[in-house]
Structures are given as structure tokens and as C-alpha cells.
Amino acid sequence: MINSLTVRTPEDVLALIPMTLGFAPQESLILLSLRGPDSFHARITLPDLSVPNSGPPTEFVQALVGPVLQHGLIEVILVAITSRPGAGESCVLAVGRALESHGVLVRDSLLADGQHWWPLSVDHGRGSARRYDLSDHPFHAAAVLRGKVIHASREEMEQTLSPDPQRMEVVDAKLASRVDSIQNTAQVALEHWSLALVAECTARRRVPTPEEVARLLLALRDLRIRDAALVRLTRADARDQVDFWRHVATSAPPEVRAAPAALTGFAAWLNGDGALAWAAVKVAEQAESGYSLAVLLTDALEHAINPSVWDDLRTQGLPAQPA
């Protein structure tokens, strides 16, 4: 059972992947964990193997093997989804051999191109093709019931972080009118208001008004308020926090976009949505290169740190971050 759904067939595995990632991957190798102390799923873009007889580079293999060993996984499934069957097969088998050399059981290995799937094995290579169609798979209905949005591609998912020009224009006008009042508001009062707004909007799933967004963006320039919002992120409400902070980020002019984008990324990471977290990091870095919260999240993503560690970090307190 993965993500509370019982997986029995290769078609189940293929249907589960978009639910796990939040989008339908292309030209990718996906790893799904089955047993181990931590749950860990990963996707990596397949390398260019256009050079004849070339195998996947060592760094590609280690990008998956390293986190698997770090998380202490015991059993995994490997799936390559690609229009280049030869490249997909080569990558799956290379990663599979490396994992098994470390004592990790590769329960199943699959190759798929969107219409057919093939079983793979280290000893026998690619098996016979089997046609599949996931359009009416029951996992899709499960995703709808859970409110899970599955995007057609990674690019479509990343576009959910694109600025909304109309909202941004309204918020930008509000920012200018709020500067003086923010400067005359005590930090404690402003922090209390900011945290109350986030809590109320996420609890009720309410979209903040442009006036509220503008005031919050100005408040987040104070790193104490930004970090106070950060430590109140929890895995229990991560999905609602993603929706809230994404709305704020896509409403924000570039000069104040880094904080809400980074908070969107942290919430996405806590929600197990690594692809969205990476996309949010990119937005934050574009707004402000070297933004401390984006750097911290990048480190967590690059080292495949399990979001479960956040519970301890929140209670222990975060180290002070530079501006």
C-alpha cells in the first residue's frame, strides 16, 4: 500500500505516479518506496544517452541511490516513462543494479511510453509489451475525492506559480498606500495580525483580499515575521498553506515576491510535493538571488531530507537566517 492506496498491478503503479508527483511525468525515471522507516518517492529526468553504447552517468545513478540509502529504504519500484525505450531501460537497470548491490530490493521495474508498458529485469532485460489505458482508472476518482490536482505536465504545474498580472497590479497600488501605516505599526501587533490572517484564511480556505495581501507582503519584509509564519507551517495543514502562499506569491510584485514564494515551497515540501517546492525555489531566487529561505529549502531538497524532521525543528527553534 502506497499513500493509502493498494497497488496490485503495473497499471496501478502507473496510475499512482501522477498522484504522487502531482503531474504526469515525461522522460523521467520514478522511484517509489515500498518498505523502510521513511516514505520516499523521487523523479529524475532521464539523461541524454545519444552516444552509442553509453550508459547513464554515475551522478544520475547516485542521485537516486544516495537518498534511498539515506532514508534506509528496504524495497522500491522503479519506472521509466519515456519515448526512448532504450534509454529508459538502460537507466532503470543501472539504478536497479546499484540499489541491489547495497541490499535494497527492487520489487518491480517497468518501462512505459504512455500506451505500452514492459516489465524489466536485471537478468532478462525487457519483456513483452502490454497495452494500457489509465483514463478510467479508479485512482483518478480517488484523486478527485481527495482534492488532489494532477497536472498534465511539470510545465503546467510550474505555471501555477506564474504571476497574475491583474492581481499584481491591484496589489502593487495597495502597497504604495500601505507603507506609511506599516512603518507606524508595532512589530508585535503586525506579527499578530499576519499570523491571524494566515490561520483564518487557511482554516476557512478563504482567499485574502488585495488589501490584506499588500499588508502581509510588507510585513514579511521583517524576517522575524517571515520566520514566525514559517514555524507555523505544519504537515497537517500543508496543502491549505500551499494554496494560501501561492495566491500571495502570484499576487506579489517582483520586489516582494521572494518571501511568499519560499513559504509556498516550504509548504509544498511538507506536503510531499517536491516538484512544486523546486519550482517555488526558482521563483524566489528569480525575485531575490540568494534569498535565505530559498537557500535553506534548496539544501533540504538536494539532500532529500524527509519532511518529518520539521516537527522537531519547529519545536527546537530555527537558527537565525541572514537577510
Side-chain angles (χ1 to χ4, degrees):
M1 183 176 290
I2 304 178
N3 293 345
S4 300
L5 294 173
T6 302
V7 177
R8 296 187 176 92
T9 68
E11 287 81 4
D12 290 344
V13 172
L14 293 167
L16 179 67
I17 288 171
M19 291 187 64
T20 302
L21 300 179
F23 63 94
Q26 300 172 349
E27 303 303 325
S28 300
L29 176 57
I30 300 97
L31 181 146
L32 303 172
S33 66
L34 294 177
R35 288 194 298 136
D38 291 331
S39 175
F40 176 75
H41 310 305
R43 185 212 68 91
I44 187 170
T45 301
L46 293 172
D48 179 11
L49 300 182
S50 57
V51 178
N53 301 318
S54 65
T58 301
E59 56 268 26
F60 172 86
V61 175
Q62 287 303 311
L64 287 175
V65 174
V68 167
L69 300 180
Q70 175 186 331
H71 285 265
L73 301 184
I74 300 170
E75 191 174 342
V76 302
I77 293 175
L78 295 174
V79 182
I81 298 178
T82 177
S83 59
R84 300 174 290 146
E89 179 179 349
S90 176
C91 290
V92 169
L93 296 181
V95 172
R97 291 189 187 99
L99 289 172
E100 292 189 339
S101 72
H102 289 283
V104 179
L105 175 62
V106 180
R107 172 61 65 184
D108 285 302
S109 296
L110 302 175
L111 175 66
D113 65 1
Q115 295 182 320
H116 301 86
W117 67 266
W118 295 261
L120 296 175
S121 74
V122 172
D123 295 328
H124 302 101
R126 194 188 321 173
S128 300
R130 322 282 176 87
R131 181 173 288 277
Y132 71 97
D133 181 2
L134 303 178
S135 58
D136 60 351
H137 195 281
F139 284 7
H140 289 188
V144 172
L145 289 174
R146 296 177 182 200
K148 177 77 173 181
V149 178
I150 300 177
H151 300 282
S153 66
R154 184 185 179 102
E155 290 73 22
E156 182 179 286
M157 179 272 297
E158 291 177 344
Q159 287 173 5
T160 66
L161 290 170
S162 298
D164 183 297
Q166 292 183 329
R167 280 194 275 116
M168 189 169 61
E169 182 178 359
V170 175
V171 169
D172 197 25
K174 298 287 186 183
L175 285 171
S177 65
R178 295 295 309 181
V179 172
D180 289 341
S181 63
I182 287 291
Q183 291 176 340
N184 294 326
T185 302
Q187 186 268 337
V188 173
L190 191 56
E191 178 179 326
H192 177 78
W193 175 87
S194 300
L195 298 180
L197 174 69
V198 177
E200 187 261 330
C201 286
T202 53
R204 295 177 53 194
R205 297 183 179 178
R206 177 176 75 82
V207 174
T209 67
E211 178 78 16
E212 290 171 331
V213 170
R215 190 180 187 196
L216 179 61
L217 289 170
L218 291 171
L220 291 172
R221 297 185 303 179
D222 186 322
L223 298 185
R224 293 169 296 180
I225 296 177
R226 181 203 69 182
D227 289 347
L230 174 64
V231 298
R232 280 162 178 77
L233 292 175
T234 69
R235 290 194 291 165
D237 68 351
R239 189 174 72 181
D240 292 332
Q241 291 273 358
V242 168
D243 292 339
F244 175 84
W245 289 112
R246 178 162 47 192
H247 179 86
V248 176
T250 55
S251 304
E255 64 272 15
V256 286
R257 190 178 298 149
L263 288 166
T264 303
F266 260 90
W269 171 61
L270 291 175
N271 196 42
D273 195 343
L276 183 61
W278 274 118
V281 163
K282 182 179 179 181
V283 172
E285 283 285 348
Q286 288 174 339
E288 185 175 331
S289 179
Y291 188 68
S292 60
L293 212 51
V295 172
L296 188 65
L297 179 55
T298 297
D299 186 65
L301 293 168
E302 286 183 341
H303 291 87
I305 296 175
N306 194 297
S308 62
V309 306
W310 183 245
D311 297 332
D312 290 336
L313 288 175
R314 289 180 66 241
T315 56
Q316 294 171 5
L318 295 173
Q321 294 296 317

